[in-house]
Amino acid sequence: MAQGFTTRILHSDRQSPIEHGAVHKPMHVAVAFGYQDTQTLVDVFQGRNPGYSYGRQGNPTTAALEAKLNGMEDGIGTVTFATGMAAIAAIMTSLLKAGDHIVSSAFLFGNTNSLFDTLHNLGVEIDFVDATDAAAVERALRPETRMVFVETIANPRTQVAALAEIGELCRQRGVLYVVDNTMTSPYLFRPKTVGAGLSVNSLTKYICGHGNALGGAVTDTGLFDWTAYPNIFPAYRSIKPAMQGLQQIKKKALRDMGATLTSEAAHRIAAGAETLSLRMDRACANAAALAAQLAAHPKVKRVYHPSLPDHPQHARARELFRHGGALLSFELQDGLDPVRYQDALQVVISSTHLGDNRTLAIPVAQTIYWEMGAERRRSMDIADSLIRVSVGIEDTDDLLGDFDQAFGAV
Ligand SMILES: *Cc1c(COP(=O)(O)O)cnc(C)c1O
């Protein structure tokens, strides 16, 4: 019988023998791996033996985490990286070249947006479109489009991309579909179900959950036909067709660029992943309760959360995701100061980051969207009073009470 999501994570390490019967895969910190017989070393280098060579390409501890993540995403292979941004940069730098074109959602994690500026300087053309509408993606496709990139739920305004429709479009056109699954995590949503070829996760967020390790991962779902992808180097054409893309990502981006996940971080992330489903159930329920409370408050102008019936993609989120996510944002009524409001919060921490067990809030225009300037913020409909909340797993009443009492300050 197929096991459930959490059972599989908990017992993943035991799928292969663990040293001394330990119930966790131990933290392996060796950088080099030696072999008694030299032919075995040769076979490792030539890909006939799955052993380890040098720590920059991973070790048994990162491999154990990769196996867990791969099970969570139902992939054919997963590679981990030092951060989520390293995982995204790995995809872009190993699979694209000058003259290629990508279509990206305009509602994008800020650092990914900035990374795309760098790609543009390297000769890659990018069109940013409203990915809540698959027709906008279709209009932007060109013969040289190599990739469509979207996030599941955008931050901070929680737009939900037309994930299934874009997947169908990419399938018809033979374009690689890359989905950043960070905001949903594989517990709420599997990009494979909508035809994504690659799913990327920042492990720093919900999968780790405890705010004590950085990490990222790329999973190949097995759906994309790499034999038709023009940018595969000859060295990787000779291996099994299904693995050509991920092998190139691993060799070019992990081995050659070196943003390797450490064992210590992999170990913490693996421990965090064991409780992903429990934490997500709780945090998402808290977020839905908070969104409803805020929406009814007279000092609140607008609330953005997919659980709310008036959210533009409410029906889509219900259809695709197990829950509506644990991130919400809200605008105060005109003239009310978000910084003052946040200063009155006692349980909630004023902090950037999301996907933590603790609830974190940040005034968006004054911090993470400050650098882009007022004009760009207006074009993205980011109000000066917008507060982003990454909802944690605190007891619901403590959280609702804290947000309620803070309105006294504004
Ligand atoms: C945080 C985040 C990233 C980057 O992850 P890091 O681990 O912080 O590098 C990428 N995409 C999304 C949607 C994120 O929220």
Side-chain angles (χ1 to χ4, degrees):
M1 202 183 78
Q3 293 181 331
F5 185 84
T6 298
T7 307
R8 286 211 291 165
I9 297 172
L10 290 171
H11 295 279
S12 162
D13 286 356
R14 298 197 297 127
Q15 298 306 307
S16 40
I18 312 183
E19 299 88 316
H20 312 294
V23 295
H24 294 128
K25 188 72 183 171
M27 225 190 279
H28 285 267
V29 295
V31 167
F33 296 82
Y35 294 90
Q36 249 163 3
D37 109 59
T38 310
Q39 186 59 44
T40 309
L41 177 66
V42 170
D43 290 344
V44 168
F45 265 79
Q46 297 186 7
R48 283 189 301 274
N49 184 308
Y52 302 92
S53 55
Y54 183 64
R56 198 185 323 108
Q57 289 191 72
N59 62 50
T61 310
T62 54
L65 175 62
E66 286 167 352
K68 272 193 195 84
L69 297 165
N70 201 51
M72 290 156 78
E73 286 279 3
D74 193 24
I76 59 166
T78 294
V79 181
T80 52
F81 292 89
T83 64
M85 283 318 303
I88 295 170
I91 294 172
M92 304 300 162
T93 51
S94 62
L95 295 179
L96 298 171
K97 61 177 168 50
D100 287 346
H101 174 247
I102 64 181
V103 179
S104 169
S105 169
F107 314 122
L108 213 51
F109 180 63
N111 302 156
T112 306
N113 195 73
S114 172
L115 172 68
F116 285 168
D117 288 345
T118 308
L119 286 177
H120 180 73
N121 277 359
L122 295 171
V124 175
E125 292 294 316
I126 300 130
D127 271 317
F128 295 102
V129 302
D130 175 357
T132 64
D133 175 13
V137 174
E138 183 165 21
R139 280 194 298 275
L141 292 177
R142 304 182 194 165
E144 65 274 22
T145 305
R146 293 281 164 260
M147 187 186 292
V148 172
F149 184 92
V150 303
E151 296 176 4
T152 52
I153 304 176
N155 153 22
R157 286 274 309 274
T158 74
Q159 297 95 333
V160 179
L163 291 157
E165 296 80 359
I166 296 171
E168 178 54 24
L169 180 65
C170 289
R171 192 189 62 78
Q172 285 170 9
R173 303 292 186 89
V175 173
L176 176 62
Y177 185 25
V178 182
V179 175
D180 182 338
N181 198 26
T182 301
M183 294 293 292
T184 25
S185 88
Y187 178 59
L188 298 192
F189 176 66
R190 276 184 179 149
K192 183 178 181 177
T193 60
V194 294
L198 297 176
S199 174
V200 45
N201 283 283
S202 164
L203 308 175
T204 317
K205 311 290 172 59
Y206 298 105
I207 292 178
C208 178
H210 296 68
N212 59 3
L214 294 156
V218 179
T219 299
D220 190 326
T221 63
L223 297 180
F224 186 70
D225 177 13
W226 294 103
T227 62
Y229 195 75
N231 299 350
I232 300 292
F233 287 87
Y236 313 120
R237 278 292 184 215
S238 55
I239 67 167
K240 221 165 80 183
M243 298 312 294
Q244 290 176 1
L246 200 65
Q247 182 76 348
Q248 181 156 313
I249 291 170
K250 182 166 181 173
K251 295 295 180 185
K252 289 294 165 190
L254 189 64
R255 184 196 61 189
D256 298 358
M257 299 182 202
T260 309
L261 184 67
T262 65
S263 250
E264 289 89 341
H267 196 265
R268 286 189 188 155
I269 292 163
E274 293 181 356
T275 56
L276 175 64
S277 69
L278 288 79
R279 291 182 285 103
M280 282 309 258
D281 284 342
R282 171 88 162 227
C284 293
N286 274 350
L290 180 61
Q293 170 176 296
L294 290 169
H297 199 284
K299 288 183 181 170
V300 172
K301 190 170 176 186
R302 288 201 285 183
V303 183
Y304 305 98
H305 189 256
S307 70
L308 295 172
D310 66 351
H311 185 285
Q313 293 92 36
H314 172 72
R316 178 182 290 161
R318 281 192 64 151
E319 189 190 319
L320 293 174
F321 309 144
R322 193 188 294 259
H323 306 301
L327 184 126
L328 63 83
S329 58
F330 66 102
E331 293 166 18
L332 299 173
Q333 294 290 6
D334 293 341
L336 299 184
D337 179 5
V339 174
R340 258 181 96 125
Y341 175 80
Q342 282 201 206
D343 270 342
L345 292 166
Q346 287 163 12
V347 174
V348 177
I349 306 170
S350 284
S351 171
T352 187
H353 184 41
L354 60 92
D356 197 280
N357 282 335
R358 287 151 281 263
T359 298
L360 313 174
I362 190 160
V364 175
Q366 295 76 5
T367 58
I368 47 179
Y369 279 41
W370 180 248
E371 187 181 298
M372 64 181 59
E375 199 174 319
R376 182 91 198 278
R377 282 196 297 276
R378 249 193 313 278
S379 78
M380 297 174 78
D381 207 7
I382 301 292
D384 286 347
S385 70
L386 189 71
I387 294 175
R388 184 188 78 185
V389 185
S390 170
V391 180
I393 60 170
E394 290 92 345
D395 296 284
T396 312
D397 288 347
D398 292 338
L399 213 52
L400 297 188
D402 197 29
F403 277 94
D404 201 42
Q405 63 80 25
F407 284 111
V410 290

